């Protein structure tokens, strides 16, 4: 059964030569089939949900939706869903056990949707422009923190090209709670300060 989301975009950003990127909170029921299709693809191995059922994906995003410290968004480019974008308060996440969190640190995760047709030059850069504009539109965000899987060379390279400063490799600790399980993970920290 398909459910239409009633959620509205919280941010829109026109990127010259790319299109308008809108950022809308994930609706777990309405968006779980789309997200499930993305996270179970081989290319999403570092997302860690390749074996998840659609029901589990919905439960995970219902849990995120209940939190005030973690948020999940779908990014659309001119109306087409193109990415899953998640933000979190670093002080309220397992990453806080691995580095000295500063006030205003906002963590991010990004999963690009599958490309339709041939790869498009500048696609990821266009999305990153919109995501960073969204994050820094909040004056409370003083620094963006990313922690991709240390083996994910594409993600680490993208962060470097976007201006992030690479930090050390860390070991994110396992989380085993009734509502969420996250295995331990080797990750690479990366930081981007808010523009002055």
């Amino acid at each position: 059964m398909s459910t239409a989301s009633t959620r509205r975009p919280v941010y829109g950003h026109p990127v010259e030569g790319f299109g308008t990127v809108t950022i809308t909170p994930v609706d777990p029921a309405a968006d779980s089939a789309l997200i499930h299709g993305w996270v179970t693809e081989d290319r999403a191995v570092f997302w860690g949900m390749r074996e998840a059922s659609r029901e589990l994906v919905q439960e995970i995003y219902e849990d995120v939706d209940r939190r005030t410290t973690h948020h999940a968004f779908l990014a659309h480019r001119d109306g087409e869903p193109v990415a899953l974008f998640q933000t979190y308060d670093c002080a309220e996440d397992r990453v806080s056990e691995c580095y000295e969190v500063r006030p205003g640190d906002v963590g991010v995760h990004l999963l690009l949707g599958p490309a339709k047709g041939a790869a498009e030059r500048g696609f990821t850069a266009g999305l990153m422009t919109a995501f960073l504009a969204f994050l820094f539109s909040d004056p409370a965000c003083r620094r963006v923190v990313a922690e991709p899987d240390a083996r994910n060379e594409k993600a680490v390279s993208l962060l470097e090209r976007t201006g992030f400063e690479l930090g050390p490799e860390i070991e994110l600790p396992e989380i085993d709670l009734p509502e969420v399980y996250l295995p331990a993970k080797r990750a690479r920290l990366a930081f981007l300060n808010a523009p002055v």
Side-chain angles (χ1 to χ4, degrees):
M1 177 175 119
S2 175
T3 309
S5 175
T6 58
R7 303 216 172 161
R8 298 284 174 244
V10 293
Y11 189 78
H13 188 82
V15 179
E16 189 174 340
F18 181 74
T20 298
V21 177
T22 54
I23 297 173
T24 305
V26 165
D27 180 327
D31 299 329
S32 62
L34 173 70
I35 295 170
H36 176 258
W38 290 358
V39 301
T40 55
E41 289 189 349
D42 287 344
R43 64 183 189 77
V45 63
F46 296 118
W47 200 256
M49 296 174 67
R50 284 186 48 223
E51 305 301 319
S53 66
R54 191 205 57 78
E55 291 76 19
L56 178 58
V57 168
Q58 181 171 330
E59 287 173 20
I60 288 168
Y61 285 96
E62 285 171 347
D63 179 65
V64 171
D65 200 42
R66 283 190 291 272
R67 296 172 183 262
T68 58
T69 57
H70 291 63
H71 308 281
F73 303 94
L74 278 177
H76 292 76
R77 174 197 190 192
D78 296 333
E80 283 293 315
V82 291
L84 177 61
F85 182 61
Q86 295 180 204
T87 64
Y88 59 90
D89 178 347
C90 292
E92 300 296 326
D93 190 82
R94 66 180 175 165
V95 75
S96 66
E97 297 180 34
C98 303
Y99 85 104
E100 191 173 330
V101 177
R102 295 182 191 168
D105 278 1
V106 176
V108 295
H109 297 293
L110 171 64
L111 177 67
L112 298 178
K116 293 184 178 174
E120 179 183 340
R121 186 171 175 79
F123 181 83
T124 308
L127 282 180
M128 290 298 287
T129 297
F131 293 147
L132 293 173
F134 168 59
L135 291 166
F136 291 133
S137 71
D138 180 352
C141 177
R142 312 224 336 247
R143 184 168 68 160
V144 177
V145 180
E147 31 87 358
D149 189 294
R151 300 165 296 166
N152 191 345
E153 294 173 6
K154 284 185 177 180
V156 172
S157 176
L158 168 65
L159 292 169
E160 277 191 292
R161 288 192 316 271
T162 307
F164 281 74
E165 181 180 324
L166 295 184
E169 282 195 16
I170 57 171
E171 177 84 18
L172 291 169
E174 177 185 53
I175 293 179
D176 193 2
L177 301 171
E179 66 277 6
V180 65
Y181 173 76
L182 295 171
K185 179 179 95 164
R186 290 292 303 162
R188 182 73 184 263
L189 283 172
F191 305 95
L192 182 68
N193 291 320
V196 180

